Amino acid sequence: MTGRIIVLAHAHDAGAAAVAAALARRAGRAIVDVVRPEALGVARWSHHVDPGGHVTTRLTLPRAASPIERVDCVLNRLQYLPTPRFHRASLKNRDFAAAELSALVMSWLGSLGRRVVNPVASHGMSATASWSRRWLPAAAACGLRVPRSVVATASRLLAPVGPGERVRRSAAWPYPVDGRAPAEVVPDETQMIAAGMVLVAGVQVVGALAPRVGAGCAALARTTGYPLLELRFAEILGALTLVSVETLPALDTPAAVAAATDLIETVAAGGGIPA
Amino acid sequence: MIVIYGRADDPPIARLLDAVRDVMLEHVLLDQRELEHSDMVVDFSSPARRGRIVFAGADVPLETVDAIYARPLGLPARWRDPLVRVRAQAVHDAVLEWLEVAPTLVVNRPSSMDSNSSKPWQTQLIAASGFLVPETLVTSDPDEVRDFLARHGRLIFKSVSGVRSIVQELDASFHGRLDRVKALPTQFQAYVSGVDVRVHVVGDWTFAAEVRSSVIDYRYAARAGAEVGLEDIQIPDAVRDRCTALARRLDLVFCGIDLRRRPDGEYVCFEVNPMPAYSYYEAETGQPISRALVSLLSGKRGR
């Protein structure tokens, strides 16, 4: 294997650290750089777009011996982007600096295309908020059973909930709960039995539930464009139901770390993200 | 049924309302200024995203909505009662979530506007659609800015993000302050001479307006005491096709594209506005943009 791999991850990200360590153990001639998000805010940047749209980026991290230029794969675990140079600035300037730096990081990661796992979301992050109700139709279309999800801006508008469901009222409601409080229908946790998880990492699907729902999970990863996904399931009234999807998988089992490492190696070796 | 989401006092919304009334198209306005009196229920797990919007005496089943035009602005600050604020925010959030998954035409889905939050990223997408783009440098190295300036002679600078900024020329008054880029990478672009052209893409329709102004950023001409003249023009078919292809690539059924026609006749694209304030251009040129929007919302595509 050749190339340069960047693990872009926070110091508290044990899963990313495990993958970085595995890569370093396995890597033949590859260079593995662990880059902290806060370093991006104090790095020296040169990001150039030519008239034809071709991008070259030179990123010089503090105390680095040489700049990062060619990148073969980025394991993107960004959750937020600190701006250490603006800690003492006004809130307005701090917000502006954060937006500007995020936009730059997004452009850099975007320019790397399918060499970034997972791809950039609107602000260059790894789309940590991406498991939202908008994924439900896609998951259902991939053959996965999903819970009913109904949102109401006033709980009095909700029809009576069915078995295995409950009404969760908005925590932001400032008054005693009444029918005007925003609410949503969610699975009743007291009737859920955790069933396990499935990790999709490129072409690999690992986890105890993979034989039962692996095909649907892999299809969802392909549909959404996230090659690294963790899907958690629960038994609700006896049916195996998808209850969460994480675009920043915990990577807390040897099998998950190995699968993620394989994916990063494949991408770095020029194999690209499996379609 | 057409749903329009925005503020009735926002000129683009006001013009669209006039246009839908002209053709007596069945529609409702969900006015952001009145959200505290509105309600919404959406079943995100149903294939048709069933539900309803209740407001201003109307009760609209979501399944009956054929198309949506959304121009969401910030919520009014006048709501001091936390109850009112929470309710208004809840409706706003529910509408935005619904816009993402509504199984109908949405002009435009919020996620389609993402590229606008990073100008150099959007520049890459623009170039991938076949347009020339201005040579761009985002840097925290003042020496590199000086080299870039020496190479191009004239530079402009503007925000990297979607935060609105005035495009300014890097003239001599800024040369002594270049060290400031060390604290925050800043975006510079080669100055492109020529004439500004704004193209609105509505489905497959295009409306091009030439902008005559002596200032770098004509949006702020009044501040500089300058005047702006707009004129409806025809653009070459190839440029028009590039505009519609760019809009499709960005998943925008309606957008405003900022071009500059160089003296050699080539067009350079600066950026794409996914929520254009088209009313200004329509008022100045007479281009029937709002009528085209109504046609689009009625199921027609254009050309």
Side-chain angles (χ1 to χ4, degrees):
Chain A
M1 192 183 80
T2 59
R4 184 161 203 163
I5 296 168
I6 292 179
V7 176
L8 185 54
H10 300 272
H12 56 72
D13 188 341
V19 172
L23 284 167
R25 278 196 301 275
R26 287 193 199 178
R29 288 163 289 160
I31 300 167
V32 181
D33 290 308
V34 176
V35 176
R36 300 286 178 230
E38 50 271 30
L40 297 179
V42 292
R44 197 158 74 234
W45 283 91
S46 172
H47 181 66
H48 178 255
V49 186
D50 78 11
H54 179 70
V55 179
T56 50
T57 304
R58 192 173 62 252
L59 174 62
T60 309
L61 298 168
R63 296 180 296 283
S66 61
I68 294 170
E69 291 179 286
R70 189 195 142 114
V71 177
D72 295 291
C73 183
V74 176
L75 174 59
N76 172 23
R77 304 275 289 184
L78 265 177
Q79 296 175 59
Y80 53 89
L81 203 47
T83 49
R85 287 193 172 127
F86 288 81
H87 279 170
R88 291 196 187 86
S90 66
L91 181 61
K92 185 180 172 190
N93 284 343
R94 212 159 55 228
D95 285 349
F96 177 72
E100 292 286 283
L101 187 62
S102 292
L104 172 56
V105 172
M106 178 181 179
S107 185
W108 171 52
L109 293 177
S111 74
L112 299 174
R114 294 172 64 81
R115 284 174 283 165
V116 181
V117 178
N118 277 321
V120 295
S122 64
H123 281 75
M125 309 304 177
S126 186
T128 51
S130 56
W131 168 247
S132 61
R133 284 175 280 268
R134 78 163 102 154
W135 284 49
L136 289 169
C142 291
L144 300 172
R145 187 178 190 277
V146 297
R148 204 162 70 95
S149 174
V150 184
V151 170
T153 56
S155 62
R156 63 183 150 71
L157 298 172
L158 289 170
V161 296
E165 298 175 337
R166 73 177 182 90
V167 172
R168 179 167 67 201
R169 290 179 176 81
S170 167
W173 189 245
Y175 296 107
V177 169
D178 60 25
R180 297 170 299 170
E184 61 182 317
V185 175
V186 296
D188 182 351
E189 294 87 344
T190 65
Q191 297 189 49
M192 282 169 43
I193 303 167
M197 70 84 155
V198 170
L199 179 86
V200 179
V203 293
Q204 293 191 60
V205 183
V206 300
L209 294 173
R212 291 175 66 187
V213 289
C217 296
L220 182 62
R222 282 194 301 274
T223 300
T224 56
Y226 288 91
L228 191 60
L229 276 187
E230 181 182 281
L231 302 91
R232 292 197 173 272
F233 292 83
E235 297 279 353
I236 301 177
L237 301 179
L240 189 61
T241 306
L242 178 67
V243 290
S244 76
V245 179
E246 180 54 76
T247 56
L248 286 173
L251 303 176
D252 55 359
T253 67
V257 170
T261 306
D262 287 347
L263 171 63
I264 301 303
E265 274 194 328
T266 302
V267 173
I273 293 170
Chain B
M1 169 69 77
I2 307 299
V3 170
I4 298 169
Y5 182 56
R7 294 174 56 124
D9 59 353
D10 182 23
I13 294 284
R15 280 194 168 256
L16 181 62
L17 286 169
D18 287 343
V20 293
R21 286 176 193 129
D22 282 349
V23 296
M24 292 184 286
L25 187 65
E26 189 182 15
H27 70 281
V28 289
L29 168 70
L30 181 54
D31 194 327
Q32 280 191 282
R33 299 170 307 170
E34 309 294 335
L35 285 186
E36 78 270 37
H37 304 306
S38 311
D39 269 307
M40 187 168 194
V41 187
V42 193
D43 182 346
F44 286 94
S45 44
S46 72
R49 260 61 91 200
R50 283 188 301 269
R52 55 199 246 250
I53 314 175
V54 184
F55 61 101
D59 190 334
V60 179
L62 299 186
E63 308 88 280
T64 65
V65 175
D66 299 306
I68 307 155
Y69 174 82
R71 190 175 150 77
L73 302 178
L75 294 182
R78 64 182 160 81
W79 292 318
R80 305 218 177 278
D81 182 343
L83 182 149
V84 172
R85 267 207 315 276
V86 168
R87 284 191 42 73
Q89 188 68 51
V91 177
H92 181 66
D93 293 346
V95 171
L96 293 187
E97 276 202 274
W98 173 58
L99 292 177
E100 283 297 350
V101 296
T104 187
L105 174 68
V106 179
V107 183
N108 287 307
R109 295 195 197 272
S111 59
S112 300
M113 303 190 191
D114 283 354
S115 76
N116 204 45
S117 62
S118 170
K119 291 192 176 89
W121 169 232
Q122 193 189 61
T123 297
Q124 295 175 50
L125 299 173
I126 290 169
S129 292
F131 272 114
L132 287 175
V133 293
E135 191 165 347
T136 299
L137 175 68
V138 186
T139 185
S140 52
D141 182 346
D143 288 336
E144 198 173 21
V145 182
R146 292 183 189 101
D147 289 346
F148 198 54
L149 177 60
R151 190 144 55 87
H152 291 285
R154 294 177 75 180
L155 299 181
I156 60 94
F157 63 98
K158 60 185 183 181
S159 62
V160 188
S161 66
V163 175
R164 200 174 171 98
S165 67
I166 301 176
V167 182
Q168 296 186 74
E169 182 163 5
L170 186 74
D171 59 24
S173 68
F174 292 102
H175 293 180
R177 289 185 269 169
L178 282 181
D179 272 4
R180 290 188 182 186
V181 304
K182 288 180 181 173
L184 186 65
T186 304
Q187 177 172 236
F188 300 88
Q189 285 183 335
Y191 176 79
V192 177
S193 62
V195 177
D196 283 314
V197 175
R198 161 57 80 97
V199 179
H200 286 99
V201 176
V202 186
D204 290 328
W205 285 286
T206 56
F207 301 92
E210 187 171 299
V211 183
R212 277 186 239 96
S213 173
S214 58
V215 297
I216 295 274
D217 190 339
Y218 70 85
R219 298 171 303 171
Y220 298 93
R223 286 190 194 181
E227 292 189 350
V228 177
L230 294 177
E231 184 188 351
D232 176 46
I233 61 162
Q234 294 297 311
I235 51 175
D237 289 352
V239 176
R240 185 195 60 200
D241 290 346
R242 255 178 265 158
C243 288
T244 51
L246 174 57
R248 273 196 298 274
R249 172 176 276 269
L250 298 180
D251 198 23
L252 296 168
V253 281
F254 176 44
C255 62
I257 300 178
D258 290 324
L259 305 177
R260 187 162 289 168
R261 189 179 61 243
R262 294 191 318 208
D264 64 2
E266 186 58 76
Y267 285 77
V268 176
C269 182
F270 290 106
E271 62 183 82
V272 181
N273 186 330
M275 204 172 79
Y278 71 88
S279 46
Y280 167 65
Y281 301 89
E282 181 173 88
E284 294 293 318
T285 63
Q287 295 171 331
I289 302 172
S290 54
R291 285 219 307 272
L293 266 173
V294 170
S295 295
L296 180 72
L297 294 165
S298 308
K300 303 181 183 79
R301 286 292 301 187
R303 285 273 176 95

